[in-house]
Amino acid sequence: MQVVFDVALPVFAIVLAGYLGGRTVLGQEASSALSAFVYWFALPAVLVLSMARQPLGDIFNVPFIGAFLGSMLMVYGLGWLIGWFKGREGPQVQSLQALNAAFSNTGYMGIPLFLAAYGPNRLLPAIIATVIMSVVMIGLAVIAMEMARSHGHGLGRALRDVGRALVRNPLIVSSFVGLGWNLTGMAVPMPVVNFCQLLGAAAGPCALFAIGVFLAGRPLELAWRQVGWLVPLKLVVHPLLAWGLIVTVFPLDHFWTGATLLLAALPTGALTFVVASQYKVYVERTSQVILLSTIASVPVLSLILILYAPR
C-alpha cells in the first residue's frame, strides 16, 4: 500500500493539478504547448539516452514483446468484434473502437509512471512499448482506415502514409538514434548525457500536467452507454490477457511481469484522438474514452503497483 502513496498518488496528483490549472488560469493552448514540448523535445531526449545505454539483450526482450504485443493485438480484435456486434456502424468506426480498446498511453503516462516507480535505469519496458504502439498500432489503424474508406486509394497509399508518419515521428526517430549509437559500442559523451538528462527531466511532470489540462477541456457528458464498454476492455481485459500470455507462453521475472501489466493497464492514449480527428470519424466518442479510461485507471494501476511493488 505504501507504493500507492509514494508513486501513484504523486503521479495522479500532477494530473489533477493540470486539470485544475486547465479549469482556472490556463486554457487549451497550454495543453497544446506542453504536449508539443514533451513530444518533440523532452521525451526524445529520454528515449535517445535510454536506448543508447541499455544492454542490447534487454532491448530485444522477446518474451516481453510477445506478451505485450500479443495481448494488444488480441484486445484490438476483441474491440473490433464487439463493436461489430453492438452497433454495426461500419468498418471505420469499428477500427477506431478497436484502437481505443488496445492503445495504451505509454508515452505521456507510461514513461512518467515508470520514472516515478522504478527510476530512469528501469525505463526500458515503457520505451519498447512506446515504439511498438507508434509503429504497430498507429500503422495498423491507418491501414485499416484507408482500406475501409470507400473512396480511399488502397493499400499502397495507406502503406506510404504510414511510412511517412513513422519517419517523422520523433519518438521513433529518437529511439532508433539511441539504438544506433548503442550498436557502435561507444560511450555517450558527457555533454550529451547532461543535455538529455536536463531536458528529459521535464518529460514526466510536463506530460502528466498536459494530460490534466487536456482532460479539463473535454466535455463532461460521459456517454457510458456509447463508449463505457471500451473502458473495462482496455483497463481489465488487456492486462488479464497479458498475464495469461506470461503464465502460459512468455515467462517473465517479477519486474518485467509487473511492467507488462502496468503498460497493458494504462488508459487509452491521446494519439487515438489524433487518428480520429484526421479521418473525422468517432472523434467525440474517442475523447470520451480517453477521459473515462484515464479516470478509471487510478485504482487499476494502483493495484498493480501494490502487487508488483519495486524490489
Side-chain angles (χ1 to χ4, degrees):
M1 183 62 69
Q2 188 62 38
V3 70
V4 175
F5 293 100
D6 292 343
V7 177
L9 186 60
V11 165
F12 290 108
I14 296 176
V15 177
L16 177 60
Y19 179 84
L20 295 175
R23 299 286 292 181
T24 55
V25 297
L26 302 174
Q28 284 300 288
E29 296 80 8
S31 175
S32 300
L34 279 171
S35 297
F37 166 72
V38 171
Y39 184 72
W40 289 100
F41 297 99
L43 276 180
V46 173
L47 296 177
V48 166
L49 192 58
S50 297
M51 291 294 280
R53 303 170 89 182
Q54 293 287 344
L56 289 175
D58 291 344
I59 294 175
F60 299 103
N61 188 324
V62 175
F64 166 73
I65 295 173
F68 181 71
L69 179 58
S71 61
M72 180 176 63
L73 293 175
M74 292 166 69
V75 173
Y76 185 89
L78 277 174
W80 189 296
L81 185 63
I82 295 173
W84 183 81
F85 275 114
K86 278 183 64 66
R88 304 193 180 190
E89 299 178 87
Q92 292 189 74
V93 170
Q94 291 155 20
S95 176
L96 263 299
Q97 289 171 332
L99 185 66
N100 276 287
F103 196 94
S104 293
N105 193 354
T106 56
Y108 283 78
M109 182 168 283
I111 289 177
L113 185 61
F114 269 70
L115 285 170
Y118 304 111
N121 294 328
R122 284 191 154 185
L123 197 59
L124 186 58
I127 295 173
I128 298 173
T130 299
V131 174
I132 291 173
M133 284 291 165
S134 299
V135 174
V136 177
M137 291 310 298
I138 294 300
L140 184 62
V142 171
I143 291 173
M145 292 299 292
E146 286 293 334
M147 294 299 293
R149 294 170 69 180
S150 60
H151 57 282
H153 300 279
L155 183 60
R157 171 69 177 272
L159 292 175
R160 187 166 65 251
D161 289 345
V162 171
R164 288 174 178 172
L166 293 181
V167 298
R168 295 172 182 171
N169 187 320
L171 306 185
I172 299 298
V173 172
S174 58
S175 296
F176 280 98
V177 168
L179 178 60
W181 188 273
N182 196 326
L183 291 172
T184 67
M186 297 187 296
V188 181
M190 190 53 62
V192 177
V193 171
N194 291 335
F195 171 80
C196 290
Q197 286 179 339
L198 287 170
L199 189 58
C206 286
L208 294 169
F209 195 88
I211 290 173
V213 178
F214 170 80
L215 294 178
R218 298 302 95 194
L220 295 178
E221 189 266 310
L222 298 181
W224 270 104
R225 280 187 291 182
Q226 285 79 18
V227 301
W229 62 276
L230 289 166
V231 176
L233 199 58
K234 178 69 202 74
L235 301 181
V236 179
V237 176
H238 192 176
L240 284 177
L241 287 173
W243 180 81
L245 288 176
I246 292 170
V247 171
T248 58
V249 184
F250 301 108
L252 293 167
D253 62 22
H254 178 85
F255 166 69
W256 282 93
T257 297
T260 306
L261 297 183
L262 271 178
L263 292 164
L266 288 169
T268 301
L271 280 180
T272 59
F273 184 78
V274 175
V275 176
S277 298
Q278 178 181 348
Y279 288 97
K280 296 180 174 59
V281 175
Y282 212 64
V283 178
E284 190 61 34
R285 295 289 182 251
T286 294
S287 70
Q288 291 166 347
V289 175
I290 295 171
L291 173 61
L292 286 171
S293 63
T294 301
I295 296 171
S297 70
V298 177
V300 178
L301 295 173
S302 299
L303 177 60
I304 294 174
L305 282 171
I306 293 172
L307 296 175
Y308 293 92
R311 290 178 177 176

